[in-house]
Amino acid sequence: MTSKVSDNAALVSSLKESRYVGKFLEQVEGYDKKIGKIERALFSLNIAQRRWIYLEPILVGGALPDQLERFLKLDSAFKNIMRALEEKPKLQTLADIEGLEQTLDNINEEQERCQKALNDYLEVKRSKFPRFYFLGDEDLLEILAQTQNPAVIQLHLKKLFAAIHTVGFSGDNSQIIELYSS
């Protein structure tokens, strides 16, 4: 979709340079502005959507309660944009939404703040237990979110400790009582 918009932007740009544009120049410049607005909106929306997909399950799941209010505000704004696009699934809709560029800029800024807070949170956990540096962010978040679930911890043991394949828990799953190598 973005390549099609870029192609149309190039086409309109070449029309502006044509010696035959004459009395159509104002109309062509209007198209140029509209396509530029759509192109910028698509770029910002793409960034917001990728971050939202990553952050939403983490923050709504309760990983960072102090960031939840901030995220819920941007979540609401993001979902409103997506609803508008669902109602009118045309690129023209991006040009018609009032204040879209500013809204997307605000969403992206707030998402960056949430992402930074999440990174800081993970860094604190890693500094307290350096073996967590062997895990990616998603794996570490899964462990931290489900600390009471031994099955989740079992999945990541091989990444944390080279010689440990599985562990045995006490009857109430509160302590590790056995270590098994592969």
Side-chain angles (χ1 to χ4, degrees):
M1 174 120 28
T2 55
S3 63
K4 199 171 195 178
V5 173
S6 295
D7 290 347
N8 285 332
L11 178 63
V12 169
S13 182
S14 68
L15 284 174
K16 279 174 52 177
E17 302 300 318
S18 171
R19 65 181 185 194
Y20 302 108
V21 75
K23 56 184 171 179
F24 301 108
L25 183 60
E26 192 174 305
Q27 200 175 9
V28 170
E29 286 177 343
Y31 288 135
D32 191 37
K33 282 182 183 178
K34 191 176 281 191
I35 289 174
K37 185 177 181 179
I38 290 170
E39 208 168 20
R40 288 186 302 277
L42 274 175
F43 180 76
S44 292
L45 189 60
N46 188 331
I47 292 170
Q49 189 174 21
R50 277 188 276 127
R51 281 193 190 134
W52 183 87
I53 287 170
Y54 177 72
L55 290 172
E56 195 267 343
I58 296 165
L59 295 175
V60 173
L64 291 173
D66 58 321
Q67 294 297 314
L68 184 60
E69 186 178 335
R70 169 180 282 140
F71 182 78
L72 291 177
K73 285 179 186 175
L74 73 90
D75 181 57
S76 175
F78 179 75
K79 285 180 178 176
N80 287 338
I81 292 169
M82 297 310 286
R83 269 189 224 99
L85 292 171
E86 184 179 39
E87 289 171 12
K88 292 184 194 175
K90 296 185 182 270
L91 285 176
Q92 177 67 36
T93 306
L94 291 172
D96 294 342
I97 298 174
E98 283 297 316
L100 179 65
E101 287 182 66
Q102 182 62 41
T103 303
L104 286 171
D105 287 345
N106 290 340
I107 288 171
N108 283 323
E109 285 176 25
E110 292 300 311
Q111 285 178 330
E112 282 181 36
R113 287 188 182 107
C114 291
Q115 182 73 47
K116 184 181 178 335
L118 178 63
N119 290 342
D120 292 346
Y121 171 74
L122 294 177
E123 187 59 32
V124 166
K125 296 300 182 185
R126 286 180 171 128
S127 68
K128 288 183 180 182
F129 187 66
R131 288 225 171 242
F132 282 154
Y133 282 106
F134 292 112
L135 297 176
D137 291 351
E138 290 80 16
D139 292 340
L140 180 54
L141 285 166
E142 184 178 15
I143 287 174
L144 295 173
Q146 299 186 39
T147 55
Q148 301 303 316
N149 186 351
V152 171
I153 296 168
Q154 290 275 17
L155 292 172
H156 302 291
L157 279 175
K158 295 174 203 166
K159 297 174 193 170
L160 292 170
F161 304 100
I164 298 175
H165 188 273
T166 58
V167 294
F169 289 94
S170 62
D172 63 355
N173 290 332
S174 64
Q175 295 180 340
I176 295 174
I177 56 172
E178 300 171 318
L179 303 173
Y180 301 102
S181 69
S182 56

